[in-house]
Amino acid sequence: MKFNKSRNKLLGGIFLFILVLLFFFLPTNYFLEVPGSAESTAQYVKVDGKQDKSKGNLLLTTVGIEQATPFLLVKSLGNDFETIYPREELMGDESTSQYFQVQQYYMRSATNSAIQAAYDKAKKPFKKVYKGVYVMELMDNSDFKGKLSVGDTIHSINGYKFKSSTQFINYVKKLDKDAKVTIDFLHNGKQKSATGSLVKLEQTKRYGLGITLIDDTVATGTPKASIDAGDIGGPSAGLMFTLQVYSQVAHKDLKQGRTIAGTGTISPDGTVGPIGGIDKKVVAASAEGATIFFAPDDPVTKEIKKYDPNYVNNYHLAKKAAKKINTKMKIVPVKTLDDAINYLNK
């Protein structure tokens, strides 16, 4: 009897230990969006091979995305700056690796737009070099599923090199539905090729490769500017990278010793667009000592309200977050690159 009791206690202890491990370490199907970092853009930008060493900082801001354990889910309850997302809502049908791969594309696209907007504002020459089409998604019935990956850049088909995604699509449209096609593409920096058949495209009468694609370009100017954002993904650093590049190519001291943070997408024409998680970015910027925070003042149209009746624009969300954490950081609304530059030059 004593042996059985001891064994039961041991088994009970092991079971409890396993439950504790699962509570703290078992991944769930949920992700947490939390305050990320506020980092100097100067470390990622070079103009004419040189980094900006002047006093002050222009800070890009990020959110953190982490897969939640049961412990983290419980811990986040009641925290105004930690948001729980089901995996499907955050990533859709993409795998985790595909999701972050697409975020890397969005960052590359943002840096290209930043260089174009900055050089245009500084009245400096620049050009866009077309690299090919970037694979954003593969249909389940695509014959190239498993041969191509999200993030690959296709630069020729059947030996034909094209100068835009439109040319690429028009070429495929003219192919016979039974045609075999050979694609040359770049995968993780390595040249590869794959051969496959066309498939019927959903909700159309056409045949194609069964991929979603977008132009992959690189912007360059004189003097040469480069932005290497490392592992940071997404388009939201566009505005802050534009300010950094502009300050260097135009030889303008926008910082004047200040620590300036912000967020927002950037279009080549200088329009600033909204992003997600701005409340978390306000927290990150304030913790890093920023005194100014640029927030997109995106218009709330009837179409947006129809789609999301509770939509609040980025600027008002940022103001609300700043008030909640009682920061002295000034929240500045911006619609364009000029708005940000004019504010800093006051």
Side-chain angles (χ1 to χ4, degrees):
M1 289 292 292
K2 287 184 178 180
F3 174 76
N4 286 338
K5 285 183 178 179
S6 297
R7 187 182 66 175
N8 289 340
K9 284 183 178 179
L10 178 61
L11 291 175
I14 292 173
F15 180 69
L16 181 61
F17 178 68
I18 292 172
L19 284 179
V20 171
L21 285 179
L22 292 176
F23 180 69
F24 281 96
F25 299 107
L26 178 68
T28 68
N29 201 39
Y30 293 88
F31 284 77
L32 289 177
E33 183 184 78
V34 300
S37 60
E39 305 180 29
S40 173
T41 54
Q43 65 185 307
Y44 301 114
V45 175
K46 288 184 178 179
V47 173
D48 203 16
K50 300 173 184 177
Q51 290 183 333
D52 179 10
K53 301 293 185 181
S54 61
K55 290 182 179 180
N57 282 300
L58 291 166
L59 303 177
L60 64 83
T61 51
T62 71
V63 297
I65 300 292
E66 54 188 65
Q67 193 164 16
T69 63
F71 168 72
L72 290 176
L73 288 173
V74 172
K75 179 174 171 287
S76 70
L77 296 176
N79 189 321
D80 292 333
F81 299 102
E82 293 188 0
T83 306
I84 301 170
Y85 287 104
R87 187 190 180 286
E88 294 76 15
E89 185 177 340
L90 183 67
M91 300 180 181
D93 294 330
E94 298 170 342
S95 67
T96 303
S97 62
Q98 287 175 333
Y99 170 79
F100 285 109
Q101 185 72 46
V102 171
Q103 295 305 305
Q104 286 294 305
Y105 167 78
Y106 287 144
M107 172 56 80
R108 290 210 308 272
S109 180
T111 58
N112 285 327
S113 293
I115 290 172
Q116 185 172 340
Y119 276 70
D120 188 53
K121 175 64 179 175
K123 294 181 171 52
K124 299 284 186 178
F126 71 91
K127 63 180 180 179
K128 293 178 76 172
V129 179
Y130 185 79
K131 294 177 63 179
V133 294
Y134 184 91
V135 178
M136 298 288 286
E137 185 181 5
L138 288 131
M139 290 167 50
D140 288 337
N141 69 332
S142 174
D143 199 34
F144 287 90
K145 196 174 181 69
K147 301 173 185 177
L148 288 171
S149 301
V150 171
D152 290 345
T153 296
I154 300 171
H155 53 77
S156 73
I157 178 169
N158 292 341
Y160 169 69
K161 293 188 176 182
F162 40 90
K163 296 181 180 179
S164 70
S165 56
T166 301
Q167 282 188 356
F168 176 86
I169 292 168
N170 287 338
Y171 177 84
V172 174
K173 280 181 179 178
K174 295 176 183 177
L175 294 173
D176 185 89
K177 68 177 183 178
D178 297 319
K180 287 281 186 180
V181 294
T182 298
I183 289 173
D184 295 313
F185 61 97
L186 194 68
H187 175 79
N188 291 336
K190 296 181 180 179
Q191 295 289 344
K192 293 193 173 187
S193 65
T195 300
S197 303
L198 303 182
V199 296
K200 193 172 188 306
L201 303 179
E202 293 181 4
Q203 299 178 342
T204 74
K205 296 180 180 179
R206 296 191 297 105
Y207 282 75
L209 301 181
I211 65 173
T212 301
L213 51 85
I214 193 169
D215 285 349
D216 192 4
T217 59
V218 173
T220 184
T222 304
K224 184 180 178 182
S226 63
I227 304 174
D228 183 356
D231 293 332
I232 301 173
S236 65
L239 170 63
M240 299 312 293
F241 274 136
T242 307
L243 291 172
Q244 181 65 59
V245 174
Y246 170 76
S247 68
Q248 290 180 246
V249 298
H251 304 292
K252 302 285 187 181
D253 182 13
L254 297 178
K255 295 180 290 186
Q256 299 177 27
R258 297 170 292 186
T259 298
I260 303 152
T263 188
T265 64
I266 195 75
S267 297
D269 66 0
T271 301
V272 176
I275 50 81
I278 196 167
D279 52 338
K280 288 90 173 174
K281 295 178 180 182
V282 167
V283 173
S286 181
E288 198 62 29
T291 57
I292 297 168
F293 185 94
F294 289 125
D297 190 15
D298 52 305
V300 182
T301 64
K302 290 182 180 179
E303 288 75 14
I304 291 174
K305 277 294 187 181
K306 184 177 180 181
Y307 175 76
D308 182 0
N310 298 316
Y311 183 80
V312 179
N313 86 342
N314 273 194
Y315 169 62
H316 289 101
L317 286 174
K319 287 276 287 183
K320 184 178 179 181
K323 183 177 181 180
K324 195 168 288 186
I325 63 173
N326 196 30
T327 180
K328 294 181 180 179
M329 184 171 63
K330 175 72 173 175
I331 309 296
V332 179
V334 291
K335 289 183 171 69
T336 66
L337 173 62
D338 281 346
D339 290 343
I341 291 174
N342 291 340
Y343 182 87
L344 295 176
N345 282 334
K346 286 196 301 185

